[in-house]
């Protein structure tokens, strides 16, 4: 029985901060002080608070240490572990805001979260199958194999109200029932862990922090639909996730949770890892299946749907990582438990990768129906540097931008669709007052144009035309007719593209046109960028009443566009490349963008 546990985050973010070295150091020191049988070091997955990593948590006190480096871990060992003294200056600041150190679970970032899909992330060692088993791992699989029929499993998932967390929100139980209804024979279970949205890392965190939950969930799905083989499709850019998942597969086979005659029940199921090359279009289910088959990842016309004719022409169920991560807990806790969270039509919780202009960049899991305001102002900690919230984009590059006036919008499938956005896989990018919404739309269009597979003309040609018009506007060459063209073209692309990539690609354009029309007009009519982000519409000017002739601006200018003598007013000439270095370096606020 250990008197203390030291949890060290070993997710990608903290791992890049050398948290693996902390584990080695602690193990050596505990052995040196003969404390290795009293204190246990646990390598965990992501805690979620990525902005403050590397993270170390010491139990039983539950002290959450932030931004730990090598010197910090040495202090934590010397003071906290050996002497029981908390290293106050390394404690997560939000834990101390009321004058005493509170459990980190009670801070604003964690207080409103409900961890279902992320239940074990940051709690167990993802590379130790025994730790997963110790927290009831594989109990759900044992339950369905020994006490439930396949139809009962499907009925339970239907009753839970679980919808696909990868984008459109299709009912999971219903999808399983379609594959189950196909004649007995070869069937497949596939997991989409491709995760191509910029800034998204939800799937990666589950793979790194709780890989066994996905193995267990896929085995349960296989039992429900009558499949005996599965594929995990994951991008090769996730080496740590792939390594941990592969180890989990090997350990699960060795323990009898995969392979022939699982748990002596006569049910057999095994699975493989398929590495993807990082094509965004392979997040679309038919393109993903085409890629697994060894072909170029391109979408197929539907119907037939994968549940009828999918991988290698056989009935196939494809769910994403987050969807599957909910399955074991639904089986163990019951459909009513899961359905008791969220809204009437959007049950359970949703994981978001919270990024952009926000204090608490990280991974959060919240009940469906929570408002965008609660996520941004409470969980997210608000906008840095006292800036104002301007917009948030949900659903990745295919999502819409939600303006400040709709900050109280509920985060659920229907509410987001009503305001022109979407749930998507769970990216949530926050933008402040300095963001140019025309430039934001152009950024996302540039991404989708690059990622289009090119198979259908509306997406291949249409998105490129949208991008060209946006580039024209941000360069000061736009006319009012361009705005009408953007609207018409967006509608055409949405209605005629083959797959969801093209069908949703215009969303950033359509939503910014609706909510930030005046900003577009300012770019087109007055040739100005109100946010000061579009370089072709900017002019840098030195204010005579503030310039003291210190020469700093002239010295830092990379193209020698600033001239003037010491103690004389300086000027900027046409060589200026509008890099903004002079503005950043001026100590007297004498240079402005107009």
């Amino acid at each position: 029985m250990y008197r203390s546990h030291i949890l060290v985050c070993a997710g990608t973010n903290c791992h890049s901060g050398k948290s693996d070295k902390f584990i080695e150091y602690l193990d050596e020191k505990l052995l040196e002080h003969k404390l290795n049988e009293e204190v246990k070091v646990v390598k965990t997955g992501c805690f979620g608070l990525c902005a403050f990593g590397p993270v170390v948590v010491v139990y039983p006190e539950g002290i959450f240490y932030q931004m730990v480096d090598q010197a910090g871990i040495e202090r934590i060992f010397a003071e906290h572990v050996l002497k029981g003294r908390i290293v106050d200056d390394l404690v997560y600041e939000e834990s101390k805001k009321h004058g005493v150190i509170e459990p980190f679970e009670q801070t604003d970032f964690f207080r409103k979260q409900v961890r279902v899909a992320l239940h074990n992330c940051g709690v167990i060692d993802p590379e130790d199958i025994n730790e997963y088993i110790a927290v009831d791992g594989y109990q759900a699989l044992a339950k369905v194999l020994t006490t439930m029929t396949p139809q009962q499993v499907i009925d339970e998932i239907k009753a839970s109200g679980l919808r696909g967390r990868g984008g459109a929100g299709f009912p999971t139980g219903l999808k399983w029932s379609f594959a189950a209804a196909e004649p007995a024979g070869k069937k497949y279970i596939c997991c989409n862990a491709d995760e191509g949205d910029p800034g998204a890392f939800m799937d990666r965190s589950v793979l790194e922090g709780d890989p066994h939950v996905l193995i267990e969930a896929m085995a349960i799905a296989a039992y429900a639909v009558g499949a005996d083989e599965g594929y995990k499709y994951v991008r090769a850019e996730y080496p740590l996730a792939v390594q941990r998942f592969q180890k989990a597969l090997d350990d699960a086979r060795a323990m009898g949770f995969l392979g022939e005659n699982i748990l002596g029940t006569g049910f057999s199921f095994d699975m493989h890892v398929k590495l993807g090359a990082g094509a965004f279009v392979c997040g679309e289910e038919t393109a993903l299946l085409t890629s697994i088959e060894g072909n170029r990842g391109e979408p197929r016309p539907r119907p037939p749907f994968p549940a009828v004719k999918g991988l290698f022409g056989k009935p196939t169920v494809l769910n994403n990582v987050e969807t599957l991560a909910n399955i074991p807990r639904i089986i163990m806790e019951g459909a009513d438990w899961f359905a008791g969270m969220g809204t009437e039509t959007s049950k359970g919780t949703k994981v978001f990768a919270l990024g952009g202009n926000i204090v608490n960049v990280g991974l959060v899991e919240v009940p469906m129906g929570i408002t965008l305001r609660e996520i941004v102002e409470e969980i997210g900690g608000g906008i840095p540097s006292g800036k104002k919230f301007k917009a948030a984009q949900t659903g990745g590059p295919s999502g819409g931008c939600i303006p400040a006036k709709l900050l109280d919008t509920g985060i659920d499938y229907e509410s987001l669709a009503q305001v022109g956005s979407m749930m998507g896989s769970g990216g949530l990018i926050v933008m402040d007052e300095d963001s140019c919404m025309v430039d934001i739309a152009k950024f996302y269009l540039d991404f989708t144009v690059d990622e289009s597979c090119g198979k259908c003309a509306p997406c291949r040609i249409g998105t490129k035309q949208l991008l060209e018009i946006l580039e024209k506007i941000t360069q000061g060459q736009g006319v009012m007719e361009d705005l009408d063209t953007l609207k018409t073209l967006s509608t055409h692309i949405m209605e005629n593209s083959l797959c969801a990539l093209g069908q949703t690609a215009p969303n950033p354009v359509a939503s910014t046109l609706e909510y930030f029309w005046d900003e577009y007009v300012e770019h087109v009519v007055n040739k100005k960028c109100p946010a000061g982000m579009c370089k072709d519409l900017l002019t840098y000017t030195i204010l005579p009443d503030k310039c003291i002739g210190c020469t700093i601006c002239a010295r830092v200018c990379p193209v020698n566009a600033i001239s003037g003598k010491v103690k004389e007013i300086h000027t900027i000439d046409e060589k200026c490349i509008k890099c903004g270095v002079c503005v950043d370096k001026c100590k007297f606020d004498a240079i402005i963008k107009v």
Side-chain angles (χ1 to χ4, degrees):
M1 189 69 160
Y2 295 99
R3 66 170 172 83
S4 181
H5 288 76
I6 306 173
L7 277 56
V8 180
C9 173
T12 290
N13 182 58
C14 293
H15 188 269
S16 67
K18 309 298 183 185
S19 64
D20 55 323
K21 300 298 182 185
F22 302 169
I23 297 169
E24 294 176 8
Y25 172 82
L26 290 170
D27 284 337
E28 290 174 2
K29 285 297 182 180
L30 289 172
L31 190 61
E32 178 186 323
H33 287 79
K34 296 183 173 57
L35 293 172
N36 52 301
E37 294 186 1
E38 295 183 41
V39 180
K40 183 178 181 180
V41 180
V42 182
K43 173 176 63 178
T44 77
C46 179
F47 283 87
L49 199 54
C50 304
F52 297 92
V55 167
V56 175
V57 180
V58 181
Y59 284 104
E61 299 91 334
I63 302 301
F64 190 101
Y65 290 112
Q66 64 176 23
M67 304 180 74
V68 179
D69 55 15
Q70 185 59 38
I73 199 66
E74 291 174 8
R75 291 175 61 204
I76 290 170
F77 180 81
E79 293 295 318
H80 195 149
V81 178
L82 292 184
K83 302 175 183 176
R85 299 173 181 168
I86 295 172
V87 186
D88 189 75
D89 60 299
L90 292 179
V91 174
Y92 176 42
E93 286 296 328
E94 286 297 304
S95 298
K96 303 184 293 183
K97 70 177 184 179
H98 295 126
V100 295
I101 298 178
E102 299 176 322
F104 71 88
E105 295 91 345
Q106 297 303 313
T107 61
D108 287 342
F109 181 78
F110 290 100
R111 181 168 45 85
K112 289 193 173 183
Q113 292 194 49
V114 179
R115 294 166 77 87
V116 179
L118 301 179
H119 182 62
N120 293 324
C121 293
V123 177
I124 64 171
D125 182 345
E127 297 187 29
D128 187 344
I129 190 173
N130 292 306
E131 291 209 5
Y132 182 68
I133 292 172
V135 291
D136 294 333
Y138 291 108
Q139 288 293 315
L141 177 60
K143 179 179 178 180
V144 302
L145 293 183
T146 59
T147 68
M148 300 175 73
T149 65
Q151 187 59 50
Q152 285 175 326
V153 175
I154 292 173
D155 290 343
E156 191 75 1
I157 301 304
K158 282 184 176 180
S160 74
L162 176 66
R163 297 170 64 173
R165 299 302 196 243
F170 192 81
T172 303
L174 187 59
K175 178 183 284 190
W176 288 14
S177 70
F178 293 154
E182 290 299 300
K186 189 69 177 181
K187 298 180 184 180
Y188 293 96
I189 298 294
C190 294
C191 175
N192 177 2
D194 186 58
E195 194 164 57
D197 292 6
F201 52 97
M202 301 80 64
D203 294 353
R204 187 194 74 202
S205 295
V206 175
L207 283 164
E208 291 176 355
D210 194 15
H212 285 283
V213 76
L214 301 175
I215 297 172
E216 182 173 17
M218 290 181 71
I220 292 170
Y223 173 73
V225 306
D228 66 355
E229 191 173 1
Y231 282 86
K232 171 76 67 178
Y233 187 90
V234 57
R235 54 182 43 225
E237 295 97 328
Y238 284 176
L240 188 60
V242 172
Q243 171 196 320
R244 289 182 181 168
F245 190 77
Q246 189 60 61
K247 185 179 188 307
L249 281 180
D250 295 339
D251 291 345
R253 289 192 190 100
M255 295 280 279
F257 297 118
L258 281 178
E260 298 293 323
N261 192 26
I262 295 172
L263 300 179
T265 62
F267 170 67
S268 300
F269 174 73
D270 210 341
M271 57 185 299
H272 322 279
V273 176
K274 174 70 174 180
L275 299 184
F280 181 63
V281 72
C282 286
E284 196 277 335
E285 60 178 1
T286 61
L288 183 152
L289 297 177
T290 303
S291 179
I292 292 178
E293 293 170 347
N295 301 311
R296 186 172 186 264
E298 292 182 332
R300 307 166 183 169
R302 297 177 301 173
F305 291 93
V308 175
K309 185 179 180 181
L311 187 63
F312 303 116
K314 302 299 181 181
T316 302
V317 166
L318 174 64
N319 294 125
N320 88 322
V321 166
E322 186 186 343
T323 306
L324 289 167
N326 286 285
I327 299 297
R329 293 209 62 199
I330 291 174
I331 296 297
M332 293 303 294
E333 305 288 347
D336 290 343
W337 166 80
F338 188 83
M341 296 179 284
T343 68
E344 183 63 30
T345 55
S346 298
K347 306 293 188 181
T349 61
K350 183 70 188 79
V351 179
F352 289 98
L354 189 58
N357 305 124
I358 195 79
V359 172
N360 294 331
V361 172
L363 198 66
V364 304
E365 183 172 5
V366 293
M368 292 278 199
I370 192 173
T371 66
L372 181 58
R373 182 184 301 277
E374 290 174 279
I375 294 178
V376 172
E377 296 182 355
E378 297 181 42
I379 296 173
I383 315 299
S385 306
K387 301 284 187 179
K388 294 180 181 178
F389 172 87
K390 185 170 186 177
Q393 188 185 41
T394 65
S398 303
C401 294
I402 304 172
K405 69 180 182 180
L406 297 177
L407 197 53
D408 290 307
T409 297
I411 302 298
D412 58 76
Y413 292 102
E414 287 72 28
S415 296
L416 290 177
Q418 286 174 5
V419 298
S421 191
M422 59 187 290
M423 186 74 73
S425 60
L428 203 168
I429 307 300
V430 178
M431 290 158 270
D432 67 17
E433 60 192 82
D434 292 334
S435 299
C436 169
M437 303 313 296
V438 183
D439 187 62
I440 290 293
K442 185 179 74 171
F443 168 81
Y444 284 115
L445 252 296
D446 184 58
F447 176 83
T448 49
V449 166
D450 191 53
E451 293 293 337
S452 172
C453 74
K455 185 172 183 177
C456 72
C459 179
R460 181 182 70 250
I461 300 172
T463 56
K464 179 65 175 174
Q465 291 178 327
L466 280 180
L467 178 61
E468 289 173 348
I469 295 172
L470 290 172
E471 288 174 337
K472 176 183 173 184
I473 291 172
T474 57
Q475 291 166 1
Q477 301 168 8
V479 294
M480 286 301 294
E481 288 76 9
D482 289 330
L483 304 189
D484 293 328
T485 303
L486 286 175
K487 289 182 178 180
T488 303
L489 190 55
S490 292
T491 300
H492 180 78
I493 296 169
M494 290 176 177
E495 293 177 349
N496 294 282
S497 291
L498 176 61
C499 80
L501 189 153
Q503 292 162 9
T504 59
N507 279 343
V509 179
S511 62
T512 52
L513 278 169
E514 179 176 358
Y515 297 123
F516 300 96
W517 175 262
D518 291 345
E519 203 161 322
Y520 276 89
V521 171
E522 191 71 9
H523 280 70
V524 170
V525 176
N526 297 324
K527 311 301 180 187
K528 296 289 184 182
C529 175
M533 295 299 296
C534 300
K535 288 186 178 181
D536 290 314
L537 302 181
L538 295 181
T539 300
Y540 284 82
T541 300
I542 297 178
L543 301 174
D545 59 329
K546 289 191 175 182
C547 178
I548 65 168
C550 68
T551 75
I552 289 179
C553 59
R555 283 182 277 135
V556 299
C557 180
V559 293
N560 298 317
I562 301 178
S563 59
K565 296 180 180 180
V566 177
K567 296 185 179 181
E568 291 184 0
I569 297 171
H570 285 47
T571 57
I572 302 175
D573 61 35
E574 68 277 0
K575 290 186 294 184
C576 175
I577 59 173
K578 303 169 185 177
C579 65
V581 174
C582 57
V583 177
D584 295 336
K585 295 297 182 180
C586 181
K587 299 179 180 179
F588 305 98
D589 297 324
I591 308 176
I592 61 171
K593 294 184 290 185
V594 294

